[in-house]
Amino acid sequence: EVQLVESGGGLVQPGGSVRLSCAASGFTFSSHSMNWVRQAPGKGLEWISYIMSSSSTIYYADSVKGRFTISRDNAENSLYLQMNSLRAEDTAVYYCARWGSGGRAFDIWGQGTMVTVSS
Amino acid sequence: QSALIQPASVSGSPGQSITISCTGTSSDVGTYNFVSWYQQHPGRAPKLIICDVSERPSGDSYRFSGSKSGNTAYLTISGLQAEDEADYYCSSYTSGPTFVVFGGGTKLTVL
């Protein structure tokens, strides 16, 4: 079964840091570009970061640029998001999502992990 | 404000058809055929239902169809069923400063 499982969310203080992980299974992880997408409570989806299969190309949304770092370990079938200098507005469910190799879309999503930034 | 503009809500009765619009610009929807649509039920992760403007992922419902005209993409759901009640999001590849942009989402109510 093709699956993405996020972990690492929780309560963090403003200005703090947290590292999210996404474990992939059921497909050749090293062949796919990956993304992080977030959703604030009661709000819509916001794409925040993309990493190519080889890590050679990385993009960030302006809202997280300079604070968040995406990375991956193809040997471990894992995707990561290092989140620093966290703000209240970063409170959201964070999803990892696979970029399809056929159709250009987010074709597989994890169940999400909640990050709450609050004192 | 979201980069792609969707109506906040639409509604329809069982068996009817509804269409949701998604308006972008020449930097995204108008230039690229990389428009996708996602269905999200409350408390669940989004699910891809249309990619590349009008392609259905294999095995998915034929009741969902996509199209595009100029800077606006459309999702049509035919033969509405109670289970279609959900939030729907469009997305497009963009040549702008970001990689992908989403619409603000449309809440579909099945009356």
Side-chain angles (χ1 to χ4, degrees), chain B residues 2-5 22-36 53 68-73 90-103:
Chain B
S2 301
L4 304 180
I5 305 301
C22 169
T23 301
T25 70
S26 58
S27 295
D28 38 66
V29 175
T31 295
Y32 302 101
N33 289 325
F34 301 153
V35 177
S36 49
V53 175
K68 188 182 85 167
S69 177
N71 293 338
T72 300
C90 63
S91 177
S92 175
Y93 175 83
T94 176
S95 60
T98 61
F99 170 63
V100 159
V101 289
F102 280 100

Side-chain angles (χ1 to χ4, degrees), chain A residues 35 37 39 43-45 47 50 59 95 99 103-107 109-110, chain B residues 34 36 38 40 44-46 48 51-52 89 91 97-100 102 104:
Chain A
N35 298 263
V37 177
Q39 186 171 35
K43 303 298 184 182
L45 301 172
W47 168 84
Y50 163 96
Y59 302 119
Y95 296 101
W99 189 245
R104 271 54 59 93
F106 304 110
D107 65 349
W109 296 67
Chain B
F34 301 153
S36 49
Y38 304 87
Q40 187 180 35
R44 303 292 298 275
L48 175 67
C51 62
D52 294 349
Y89 294 90
S91 177
T98 61
F99 170 63
V100 159
F102 280 100

Side-chain angles (χ1 to χ4, degrees), chain B residues 6 9 16-17 20 22 24-25 35 46 56 66 73-74 77 81 92 97 105:
Chain B
Q6 299 180 231
S9 63
Q16 289 186 331
S17 295
I20 300 171
C22 169
T25 70
V35 177
R56 278 188 299 273
Y74 302 92
I77 308 175
Q81 300 178 0
S92 175

Side-chain angles (χ1 to χ4, degrees), chain A residues 21-94:
Chain A
S21 300
C22 172
S25 59
F27 65 97
T28 305
F29 179 73
S30 59
S31 297
H32 288 267
S33 300
M34 297 294 295
N35 298 263
W36 288 99
V37 177
R38 70 182 179 184
Q39 186 171 35
K43 303 298 184 182
L45 301 172
E46 180 189 13
W47 168 84
I48 58 172
S49 189
Y50 163 96
I51 185 168
M52 194 173 281
S53 54
S54 63
S55 302
S56 59
T57 299
I58 287 174
Y59 302 119
Y60 296 101
D62 285 346
S63 58
V64 306
K65 199 174 295 182
R67 300 187 300 123
F68 291 9
T69 302
I70 191 171
S71 62
R72 63 189 296 161
D73 184 336
N74 286 342
E76 295 292 327
N77 293 329
S78 293
L79 176 72
Y80 304 102
L81 186 68
Q82 178 66 43
M83 306 165 61
N84 298 332
S85 303
L86 283 163
R87 308 164 180 166
E89 54 265 36
D90 295 318
T91 294
V93 174
Y94 285 75

